[in-house]
Every structure is written in C-alpha cells, then in structure tokens.
C-alpha cells in the first residue's frame, strides 16, 4: 500500500482501508500533551470488575468470532472496514458488540477504530440507563495481546470509552461498553470534561435529526507516544471522532490532543482526511461543510 509522508519525523504508520476505498494513517510529530494526576486512582476503589466467565457470557457465539459479520449494520451501508487491508503489524481483530464494532489492535492493545450507529430512538432508550463501572479485560482477546486492569493501575490515566457508556440502550450493551477493548488510556481532564462535551454534542445532534448517524472514534499515535503497564498499552497523543449523517450525507470530525486542551471547531471531512490520513468513509458520498454543523 502506498503511504504518503507528511513529515520526516513520522515514526508510527498505521495503514487501514474501508472495503469501499483505501484509507491511510500517518501521524505528524506532536509532543505528548497528557498530564499526570491522581483522579483516576481516586475512582479505582468505587469500580468493580467482571470475572472472565461473566464477561464472556455477555457475548453471543457470533460475537466471540474475529469477524464483523454480526455487526455490519454498525457501518454505513453495512460495509465494514476490510480486515485484509489493515497493516499486519497492528495484528488486527474484528470485535462485535450489541451497540458498536471495534477494529482492535493486538499490538497497541487498544482499539484502532470504534464504530457506532446512533439515532433518536436508540438514544431515547439509552437515556437513564444505570452506569455499571464494571471494567474487564476482553475475554475474546488472548492474554498478552490485550490490556489488563493492572496496566491502568498507577498510570494516573482514565480508561476512556470510545463508544460512550451513555450511548448504551440497555444493560447488556452498557456492560459490553466497559470492556477494555473499548478503552484507550486517556488524560482525566480530557476524558471527563473536553471529550465528554464532544460526546454530548454528538448525541444531541443524533437525537434531533432523522435517520442514522454513524460515529467513528479512535486514537492517533504520534512519534514519542508512551505506554503503560506490563502489557505496554499505547497511550494516544490525539483522539478523533468522525460523524457521518447518512440522510444528509454531511460529515465532520473532531481531532483533539489527549490532554487538557480547548475544544476546537469541528472540521470538514476533507480536512480530517488530510490531517490524519484516515479515509474512513471510503467512497461514500459526502456533502456539507463545517459551517453547517457548528451549531452542534
């Protein structure tokens, strides 16, 4: 796969593609901005975890397979990301849950992309669902290729949801959202303030429009990124959230540093692709500009 070099300092290359078109990810050199703190540790005692047998029981037989067959509907036009097009260096896995799909990396021990299909009916069901806070290592991923609870302990970083718990329409989906395969190591201020605001804005938009809104969320790793824990879980330097309104064909994205950074105005899809190299929508029609969605 031909890769476009953005700077001579790039050290991390993640090559991905949608089944409908090529996608590339090259990350610019940006110093890791996340800050240390104790808030993650303060919440540890108030959180529970599931045993591996309890966790495995959350997933159907089909969801226990390395395939997107059971969650193709979470992708626009039922067209999942092609596993064959992902760089083998990332050791990818396809993981299905009731409410989201995860393109997971056994190298970074984090998701590469998490995809959701949101709409007003689903979010009405999600409103008021009790948050479980029962984190657990994903039993579908082999030991040594996944994050463990111990990797986050002492890191002063949150286990940051990529598919938010607040998007879960029922208790089973809520429980599945706490798998570490849906988490990245995230700065607490970013996770609980800045990124939380982004998630709420996306929900508000999906609640008031007709039809489905597809959301792609994931980490970006620039040169000099750090790792945590015995399993060396990668700590992203930036996060992205790409939103695609299926009915209006509008698309926009947020790309924010993994730190206590101001929320920036969402960018249009072309700018997102140019900045990240991720052409996640493939050949889907895209119209609309950032100026039409700044009200979210």
């Amino acid at each position: 796969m031909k890769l476009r070099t953005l700077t001579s300092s790039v050290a991390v290359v993640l090559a991905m593609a949608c089944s409908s078109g090529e996608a590339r990810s090259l990350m610019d050199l940006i110093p890791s901005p996340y800050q240390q703190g104790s808030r993650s540790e303060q919440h540890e005692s108030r959180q529970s975890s599931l045993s591996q047998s309890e966790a495995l029981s959350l997933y159907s037989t089909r969801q226990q397979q390395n395939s997107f067959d059971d969650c193709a509907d979470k992708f626009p036009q039922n067209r999942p990301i092609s596993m064959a097009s992902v760089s083998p260096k990332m050791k990818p896995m396809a993981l299905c849950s009731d409410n989201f799909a995860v393109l997971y990396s056994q190298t970074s021990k984090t998701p590469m992309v998490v995809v959701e299909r949101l709409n007003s009916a689903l979010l009405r069901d999600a409103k008021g669902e009790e948050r479980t806070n029962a984190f657990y290592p994903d039993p579908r991923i082999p030991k040594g290729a996944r994050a463990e609870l111990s990797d986050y302990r002492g890191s002063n970083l949150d286990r940051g949801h990529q598919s938010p718990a607040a998007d879960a329409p029922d208790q089973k989906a809520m429980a599945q959202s706490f798998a570490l395969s849906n988490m990245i190591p995230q700065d607490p201020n970013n996770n609980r303030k800045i990124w939380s605001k982004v998630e709420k804005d996306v929900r508000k938009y999906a609640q008031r429009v007709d039809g489905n809104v597809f959301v792609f969320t994931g980490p970006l790793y620039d040169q000099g990124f750090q790792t945590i824990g015995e399993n060396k879980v990668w700590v992203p330097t930036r996060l992205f959230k790409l939103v695609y309104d299926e009915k209006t064909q509008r698309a926009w994205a947020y790309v924010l540093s993994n730190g206590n950074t101001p929320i920036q105005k969402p960018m249009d899809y072309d700018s997102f692709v140019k900045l990240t190299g991720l052409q996640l929508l493939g050949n889907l029609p895209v119209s609309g500009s950032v100026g039409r969605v700044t009200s979210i």
Side-chain angles (χ1 to χ4, degrees):
M1 180 181 292
K2 183 178 179 181
L3 298 173
R4 174 170 51 88
T5 301
L6 298 181
T7 77
S8 60
S9 303
V10 173
V12 182
V13 175
L14 169 60
M16 301 170 51
C18 297
S19 59
S20 56
E22 185 181 45
R24 300 165 294 178
S25 176
L26 296 183
M27 281 63 78
D28 308 60
L29 174 63
I30 296 182
S32 178
Y34 75 86
Q35 302 173 4
Q36 299 296 313
S38 60
R39 299 176 66 186
S40 180
E41 290 298 300
Q42 293 169 358
H43 284 248
E44 187 78 27
S45 62
R46 297 200 297 270
Q47 295 169 345
S48 59
S49 63
L50 299 180
S51 70
Q52 288 292 272
S53 60
E54 290 172 329
L56 193 61
S57 70
L58 292 172
Y59 302 97
S60 69
T61 301
R62 292 188 70 189
Q63 289 174 342
Q64 293 178 30
Q65 308 303 313
N66 181 11
S67 168
F68 285 134
D69 288 348
D70 196 58
C71 54
D73 63 325
K74 303 301 182 287
F75 297 84
Q77 297 185 356
N78 288 356
R79 296 162 72 179
I81 294 170
S82 171
M83 294 294 294
S85 63
V86 182
S87 169
K89 292 181 180 180
M90 300 308 292
K91 300 179 182 177
M93 290 184 70
L95 301 173
C96 283
S97 293
D98 288 1
N99 203 46
F100 58 90
V102 179
L103 176 58
Y104 181 83
S105 169
Q106 297 176 79
T107 300
S108 66
K109 282 84 172 183
T110 67
M112 289 185 275
V113 182
V114 175
V115 188
E116 306 173 82
R117 185 192 71 232
L118 300 181
N119 53 55
S120 59
L122 181 148
L123 291 172
R124 278 197 302 271
D125 290 339
K127 191 173 183 179
E129 283 295 332
E130 184 178 356
R131 184 181 170 98
T132 64
N133 283 332
F135 293 87
Y136 57 93
D138 197 318
R140 299 171 295 177
I141 305 169
K143 277 185 171 291
R146 70 189 187 198
E148 303 287 347
L149 296 174
S150 58
D151 291 318
Y152 283 84
R153 198 166 295 128
S155 69
N156 297 317
L157 295 172
D158 278 359
R159 293 161 288 200
H161 284 68
Q162 300 299 273
S163 172
D167 292 354
D170 55 52
Q171 278 298 291
K172 183 163 172 277
M174 173 70 72
Q176 290 176 342
S177 79
F178 282 87
L180 294 186
S181 56
N182 183 40
M183 307 290 163
I184 53 94
Q186 192 167 1
D187 172 85
N189 285 313
N190 184 284
N191 182 34
R192 303 175 197 180
K193 296 179 181 179
I194 304 149
W195 201 246
S196 178
K197 175 65 165 58
V198 169
E199 292 172 342
K200 289 176 182 176
D201 285 347
V202 172
R203 276 193 294 274
K204 287 178 182 177
Y205 180 86
Q207 285 172 324
R208 73 170 188 248
V209 299
D210 294 329
N212 293 318
V213 176
F214 293 88
V215 185
F216 298 74
T217 306
L220 295 170
Y221 303 98
D222 301 299
Q223 187 179 43
F225 71 88
Q226 301 188 29
T227 64
I228 58 170
E230 184 177 348
N231 290 293
K232 300 188 182 303
V233 181
W234 292 15
V235 179
T237 52
R238 293 179 290 166
L239 308 171
F240 70 84
K241 189 175 288 289
L242 168 66
V243 183
Y244 181 67
D245 185 329
E246 184 178 49
K247 184 173 182 179
T248 65
Q249 300 178 351
R250 296 176 184 171
W252 64 95
Y254 299 86
V255 178
L256 299 176
S257 295
N258 186 12
N260 192 9
T261 183
I263 296 179
Q264 299 178 3
K265 186 171 67 174
M267 64 184 70
D268 60 50
Y269 181 61
D270 287 344
S271 298
F272 170 77
V273 172
K274 184 176 181 180
L275 179 65
T276 68
L278 290 170
Q279 196 175 351
L280 293 173
L281 298 180
N283 295 325
L284 288 172
V286 175
S287 63
S289 67
V290 69
R292 297 181 185 175
V293 297
T294 52
S295 60
I296 69 170

